[in-house]
């Protein structure tokens, strides 16, 4: 795991998996594309309305967020023209409104499964490292649990070993 850079370490053109703590001790998974400090696009699948939907919006609140326990950087150097393509890939990643089983990942649909689908699509398009999405998920889960256990928050770069 790379050094914790704190919340100020987000970089323009960086793509991050963001994980937030849930009241049930679980984690909410989303994606964040930093456009220009402190602005960026947040993308996440949520079922707060009873059906799964994609929420995406421009915000300046991620950099100072206290609810995000860890941000795992999975991409960098995404310029303005590339960010349009990244946005298109992420927003076209299917959301199963009624949830259900996702054979590709051998589990039921939830925010983490949506993030894995989006990462796989971004990997195929060469916007994230060419490695197994399961390895990225395992690293994100591991660093989030470490941060939670040590009562820390921050940004971690994806391991070069992946």
């Amino acid at each position: 795991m790379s050094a914790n850079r704190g919340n100020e370490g987000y970089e323009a053109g960086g793509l991050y998996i963001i994980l937030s703590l849930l009241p049930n001790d679980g984690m909410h998974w989303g994606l964040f594309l930093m456009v220009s400090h402190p602005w960026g696009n947040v993308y996440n699948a949520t079922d707060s309305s009873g059906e799964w939907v994609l929420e995406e919006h421009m915000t300046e609140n991620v950099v100072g967020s206290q609810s995000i326990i860890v941000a795992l950087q999975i991409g960098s150097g995404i310029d303005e023209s590339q960010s349009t393509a990244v946005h298109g890939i992420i927003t076209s990643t299917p959301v199963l409104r009624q949830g259900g089983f996702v054979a590709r990942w051998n589990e039921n649909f939830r925010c983490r499964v949506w993030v894995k689908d989006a990462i796989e699509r971004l990997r195929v398009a060469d916007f994230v490292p060419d490695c197994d999405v399961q390895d990225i998920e395992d690293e994100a889960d591991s660093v989030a649990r470490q941060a939670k256990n040590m009562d820390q928050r921050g940004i971690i770069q994806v391991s070069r070993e992946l």
Side-chain angles (χ1 to χ4, degrees), residues 11 43 46 65 105 108:
E11 66 181 49
Y43 307 89
T46 180
S65 174
W105 306 113
N108 288 328

Side-chain angles (χ1 to χ4, degrees), residues 99-116:
F101 187 75
V102 180
R104 173 183 216 157
W105 306 113
N106 199 32
E107 62 184 304
N108 288 328
F109 185 84
R110 51 189 175 198
C111 58
R112 183 174 44 78
V113 170
W114 178 83
V115 166
K116 290 193 310 187

Side-chain angles (χ1 to χ4, degrees), residues 2 4 11 22 24 36 71 74 85 87 91 98 100-101 103 113 120 128 130 137 153:
S2 296
N4 182 322
E11 66 181 49
L22 294 172
N24 65 1
S36 175
I74 58 172
H87 176 81
T91 57
Q98 301 302 317
F101 187 75
V113 170
E120 178 61 17
V128 299
D130 188 21
E137 176 194 8
R153 286 175 166 58

Side-chain angles (χ1 to χ4, degrees), residues 12-156:
L15 180 63
Y16 303 84
I17 299 172
I18 51 176
L19 292 101
S20 304
L21 290 176
L22 294 172
N24 65 1
D25 207 33
M27 303 268 183
H28 179 72
W29 293 59
L31 294 171
F32 177 63
L33 177 60
M34 172 65 88
V35 177
S36 175
H37 192 78
W39 293 94
N41 288 314
V42 172
Y43 307 89
N44 65 86
T46 180
D47 65 345
S48 59
S49 65
E51 287 188 335
W52 286 98
V53 295
L54 173 63
E55 293 181 351
E56 59 99 3
H57 62 279
M58 178 73 79
T59 184
E60 63 181 324
N61 296 328
V62 167
V63 172
S65 174
Q66 292 301 305
S67 64
I68 296 172
I69 190 167
V70 77
L72 180 68
Q73 186 174 11
I74 58 172
S76 63
I78 298 170
D79 64 28
E80 189 174 333
S81 65
Q82 293 171 321
S83 69
T84 300
V86 168
H87 176 81
I89 291 168
I90 294 171
T91 57
S92 67
T93 301
V95 174
L96 302 180
R97 293 207 180 277
Q98 301 302 317
F101 187 75
V102 180
R104 173 183 216 157
W105 306 113
N106 199 32
E107 62 184 304
N108 288 328
F109 185 84
R110 51 189 175 198
C111 58
R112 183 174 44 78
V113 170
W114 178 83
V115 166
K116 290 193 310 187
D117 271 343
I119 292 170
E120 178 61 17
R121 291 165 177 259
L122 292 163
R123 184 195 66 77
V124 168
D126 292 326
F127 288 113
V128 299
D130 188 21
C131 59
D132 190 297
V133 172
Q134 186 63 49
D135 291 340
I136 295 173
E137 176 194 8
D138 291 346
E139 181 162 359
D141 186 61
S142 174
V143 296
R145 296 207 182 282
Q146 287 176 21
K148 179 183 170 204
N149 290 339
M150 297 181 339
D151 197 27
Q152 293 183 340
R153 286 175 166 58
I155 302 165
I156 309 293

